[in-house]
Amino acid sequence: AFSTGEEDAQIFNVAAGPSYYFMGGNNARSPYANLDFGYGFGQANNDEDIDGFSLGLGLGYRFFRTATTGMEINVRWATLFDPA
């Protein structure tokens, strides 16, 4: 994500995890679900910050799945776990 400095909060997250494609084989398009686990950092404009492990869940639709370059539409939810 990019920031212009006018936002109320900023979040940075690095995560990895599997995706499950509901239409297997050589289908060029497929809906999918994914799960990821990583580490993230967040900061609000009032200088409150949080960092910790993150968990994300997503649903999407991938186009041109078997091509060298693809495109997808997805919705993703993520949370940061505060160790304190």
Side-chain angles (χ1 to χ4, degrees), residues 46-76:
N46 59 2
D47 291 328
E48 288 185 45
D49 60 348
I50 182 175
D51 64 290
F53 291 106
S54 66
L55 176 67
L57 301 169
L59 294 172
Y61 197 87
R62 181 138 178 119
F63 301 90
F64 315 113
R65 185 167 75 102
T66 58
T68 302
T69 304
M71 184 178 89
E72 65 184 41
I73 297 170
N74 69 24
V75 175
R76 183 174 178 269

Side-chain angles (χ1 to χ4, degrees), residues 1-10 45:
F2 295 98
S3 171
T4 62
E6 299 296 322
E7 293 83 9
D8 291 330
Q10 301 159 18
N45 277 349

Side-chain angles (χ1 to χ4, degrees), residues 15-58:
S19 293
Y20 177 78
Y21 290 93
F22 295 105
M23 299 172 82
N26 291 328
N27 288 315
R29 311 182 287 269
S30 179
Y32 68 90
N34 62 359
L35 170 72
D36 59 59
F37 184 72
Y39 194 81
F41 172 80
Q43 183 179 40
N45 277 349
N46 59 2
D47 291 328
E48 288 185 45
D49 60 348
I50 182 175
D51 64 290
F53 291 106
S54 66
L55 176 67
L57 301 169

